[in-house]
Amino acid sequence: MEATEQQARTKVLVRNLPPTMSEAQFLHLLDQSYANKYDFFFFVQGKSTAKKFEFSTAFINFKNPSDVISFNDDFDGYPFPEAQTRALVEYAPNQKVPKPSEEERQSIAGTIFQDPDYLAFVAKYEATPEQLPSAEVQLDRAAAASESQPKPSLTIPILEFIRQKRQSRAQFKVAMNPRDRRYESKAAARA
C-alpha cells in the first residue's frame, strides 16, 4: 500500500476467509484489536458444497487511515488452518460507504394505512362489483345490434382506383370507337 493511497483510502476488502466462518466469528476476531476503530462492516458468507467452494469476504471501513495500515499488517496472510488458506487484505475497489438508512426505513414503517393511493385501492377492491348480464343476454344484444346496422362494403383504396380505371376505359372506348360513331351518324341521318 502506497503512502498517498493510505491517506485517501479507508475501506478495505478481506478475501479468502473460510466459508465455514460466520460473521460473528470474524467480528469477534476483528474486535479483539480494532473495536470502535471502524464505522462500516459488511460480511458476505461463503459456500462450501461438493461441487463448489466459495470463500467468505468482508468489507471494513476504518475511521482512521493509520488503522488500515496496522490492520493490513495484522491480517494480511492470517492463516486459517481449517480451510488451508490465508486471508488477503486489499483496498476495496469502491471506497464509498453506504449511508445508514435504517432510520429512514423505520420512519415510514406502518404508514401504508394512511397512504391515499393505498386507501383508494382498498376501497375499489372491497366495493361490490356490478352484476353483468348473463352470456346469453350479451350474445342476444350483440346479435340485435349487428342486424340493425347495415354492413359497410369493404373497400380499400387500390380497389377503388381499379374500378375508376375500368369505368374510364369503358367510357373512352365508347367515345373513340369509329364503328360506333358511324352507326351514330347513320342513325342520326336516317332520323
Side-chain angles (χ1 to χ4, degrees):
M1 296 185 187
E2 295 177 11
T4 57
E5 291 179 343
Q6 292 171 358
Q7 295 171 356
R9 297 181 178 185
T10 57
K11 186 175 173 187
V12 295
L13 168 65
V14 184
R15 297 181 189 266
N16 294 350
L17 298 173
T20 55
M21 178 179 268
S22 68
E23 182 176 348
Q25 290 172 334
F26 184 75
L27 275 174
H28 176 71
L29 187 64
L30 180 66
D31 285 341
Q32 288 176 0
S33 302
Y34 297 97
N36 298 325
K37 293 186 179 181
Y38 58 91
D39 57 1
F40 173 76
F41 175 79
F42 183 72
F43 187 82
V44 180
Q45 183 70 44
K47 296 177 184 175
S48 178
T49 62
K51 294 181 181 179
K52 209 173 191 180
F53 186 80
E54 295 178 3
F55 290 107
S56 298
T57 57
F59 293 90
I60 307 163
N61 187 52
F62 288 96
K63 297 176 183 177
N64 190 351
S66 63
D67 293 333
V68 174
I69 297 167
S70 62
F71 179 79
N72 183 41
D73 294 340
D74 292 344
F75 274 88
D76 194 32
Y78 187 87
F80 294 102
E82 69 272 5
Q84 298 176 352
T85 183
R86 292 181 177 270
L88 176 67
V89 177
E90 58 188 36
Y91 285 118
N94 185 354
Q95 288 292 310
K96 292 183 179 178
V97 178
K99 295 178 182 176
S101 61
E102 189 65 30
E103 298 166 359
E104 191 174 303
R105 279 189 227 139
Q106 290 178 358
S107 68
I108 61 170
T111 60
I112 192 165
F113 299 109
Q114 288 83 27
D115 185 37
D117 293 333
Y118 176 75
L119 293 174
F121 167 76
V122 169
K124 185 176 180 181
Y125 182 74
E126 291 177 349
T128 57
E130 71 176 71
Q131 296 296 325
L132 297 175
S134 66
E136 293 88 18
V137 172
Q138 289 183 2
L139 288 174
D140 291 341
R141 288 180 186 169
S146 65
E147 289 175 0
S148 64
Q149 296 176 353
K151 293 183 179 179
S153 61
L154 296 174
T155 61
I156 56 176
I158 190 74
L159 291 178
E160 282 297 317
F161 176 76
I162 292 171
R163 284 188 195 122
Q164 289 175 357
K165 194 74 165 174
R166 283 184 183 166
Q167 287 175 355
S168 65
R169 280 188 185 167
Q171 292 171 355
F172 182 73
K173 283 183 181 179
V174 169
M176 296 306 286
N177 193 347
R179 283 189 162 173
D180 292 340
R181 279 192 178 169
R182 279 188 242 151
Y183 179 72
E184 289 174 5
S185 60
K186 288 181 185 176
R190 286 185 199 160

